[in-house]
Amino acid sequence: MDLDIDCLRTFIAVSELSSFTKAAVRRHRVQSAISWQIRKLELQLGTPLFTRHSGGVSLTKAGKQLLKRAKEILEINELALNELSGVSDDQKVTIGTSDVFLASFIPDLLRACCDSHPGISIEVVSGYSDEIWRAYSTGEVDIALTQNCPESISSRLLLTTPMVWIAPNAQFSWQEKRLRIACFTDGCSDRSMILNALDSNGLDYEIVFSSSNLAGVLSAVANNLAISAIPHVAVTDDVYKLENNNFLPNLGSIDISVSANCTNPDSPVRMVEEMIVGFFEYKNNISKSVVKAC
């Protein structure tokens, strides 16, 4: 049976960090997945690769032998992929995403991509979700990472996040006769969701501020101009979540999905897509662990 390339990447991470926990963070996996991959290698090779101790783990004699070969295998694998697929070290992958996500989890995601695939250049294009999916359909972006995926496009669900109402602070007097609303400009699905919900509930409101980016909306709220609603993942410490109120309508949740314009499993585009999926699996499991701990 051939050695699994992904397992070898995990093995190298554990050996360099001397810790399954730290390797899980680097690889954006849960620790049980890291342990399973190492166990898989040990079963294949018929020998332990690490010695466990209070300070972490250290390589056994067999582990030290494998480490050298594992690095050689990965180097040859990367070289072959680059040569045979015509991919250069500075291959660019374009990700289309929404401004809301660009300001929240995209920076951490880009750092993770750079750590895992330093030879791939990432370009990020932002816009409203409908614009991103149109750009994806025409091949203008390699990967779409946003909400409202059309039924005609095959995608992978990454995260479901609730829409939450926000105010400047807990003392802000927002329950006036006419609600003052800050939201995105026309063309944004979140704007339509907010206004449709307010209209359906017969609430009187006025739009006092519109912006094409999240920073503008957050600034309007933080500076006592209005209230708004944004995805929970985009909430910052500068604003206050209006939870457990019976006045404002429940806006439900949005699904964040990813889709890649590529069928070659060894292409840089597919590598980055898998990195994105792994990143969100890790984030989701961390969130579940925090909830259980609470």
Side-chain angles (χ1 to χ4, degrees):
M1 183 181 294
D2 295 334
L3 295 176
D4 186 288
I5 293 292
D6 195 54
C7 288
L8 291 179
R9 293 186 193 279
T10 295
F11 167 72
I12 292 173
V14 175
S15 66
E16 290 178 345
L17 299 170
S18 300
S19 167
F20 280 63
T21 302
K22 292 179 181 179
V25 174
R26 174 185 287 187
R27 298 282 286 145
H28 304 284
R29 309 278 176 85
V30 292
Q31 186 171 330
S32 59
I34 298 297
S35 298
W36 179 85
Q37 287 189 308
I38 297 302
R39 182 57 180 160
K40 180 181 177 181
L41 286 174
E42 291 178 332
L43 289 173
Q44 279 186 286
L45 298 171
T47 183
L49 298 174
F50 292 98
T51 300
R52 279 75 170 173
H53 49 76
S54 58
V57 296
S58 57
L59 289 168
T60 61
K61 182 178 180 180
K64 292 177 181 178
Q65 291 177 325
L66 177 62
L67 180 60
K68 178 182 178 181
R69 298 305 180 193
K71 290 181 177 179
E72 292 175 350
I73 290 171
L74 291 183
E75 288 177 2
I76 293 173
N77 181 69
E78 293 294 332
L79 180 61
L81 288 175
N82 289 343
E83 289 180 348
L84 298 179
S85 64
V87 176
S88 61
D89 287 341
D90 60 350
Q91 173 69 45
K92 182 175 71 174
V93 174
T94 304
I95 300 175
T97 190
S98 302
D99 176 77
V100 168
F101 310 135
L102 185 62
S104 49
F105 54 73
I106 292 296
D108 288 339
L109 178 58
L110 291 179
R111 278 191 288 271
C113 285
C114 289
D115 288 343
S116 297
H117 305 294
I120 299 176
S121 174
I122 306 293
E123 178 180 345
V124 178
V125 177
S126 66
Y128 291 147
S129 58
D130 288 347
E131 297 171 340
I132 294 301
W133 289 115
R134 280 196 296 270
Y136 176 81
S137 297
T138 58
E140 296 174 59
V141 298
D142 301 308
I143 296 175
L145 172 57
T146 188
Q147 65 200 69
N148 302 326
C149 179
E151 293 183 1
S152 59
I153 296 177
S154 176
S155 65
R156 300 161 78 174
L157 177 64
L158 299 174
L159 176 70
T160 297
T161 182
M163 291 288 293
V164 295
W165 289 97
I166 56 173
N169 49 63
Q171 292 73 41
F172 183 67
S173 180
W174 58 270
Q175 288 180 297
E176 301 174 351
K177 185 175 182 180
R178 169 174 284 192
L179 294 173
R180 295 167 58 83
I181 302 295
C183 59
F184 287 94
T185 54
D186 285 329
C188 176
S189 59
D190 291 352
R191 174 191 174 101
S192 299
M193 181 189 301
I194 294 168
L195 301 188
N196 288 339
L198 292 172
D199 290 336
S200 297
N201 284 267
L203 297 176
D204 189 20
Y205 65 90
E206 61 176 327
I207 300 173
V208 298
F209 184 88
S210 295
S211 175
S212 61
N213 59 70
L214 177 65
V217 173
L218 289 175
S219 178
V221 174
N223 285 283
N224 300 305
L225 293 180
I227 62 172
S228 187
I230 60 175
H232 186 271
V233 293
V235 175
T236 66
D237 294 334
D238 297 326
V239 295
Y240 175 78
K241 287 186 293 183
L242 294 171
E243 299 177 303
N244 302 319
N245 77 82
N246 297 317
F247 184 76
L248 295 170
N250 186 329
L251 299 175
S253 301
I254 60 171
D255 291 335
I256 303 172
S257 304
V258 65
S259 187
N261 261 324
C262 182
T263 57
N264 180 1
D266 295 321
S267 72
V269 172
R270 187 63 72 186
M271 290 179 185
V272 173
E273 183 199 26
E274 291 301 326
M275 175 69 247
I276 291 172
V277 172
F279 174 85
F280 275 92
E281 287 178 348
Y282 171 75
K283 297 283 282 187
N284 289 339
N285 279 290
I286 289 296
S287 297
K288 291 177 183 177
S289 298
V290 171
V291 171
K292 289 180 180 178
C294 293

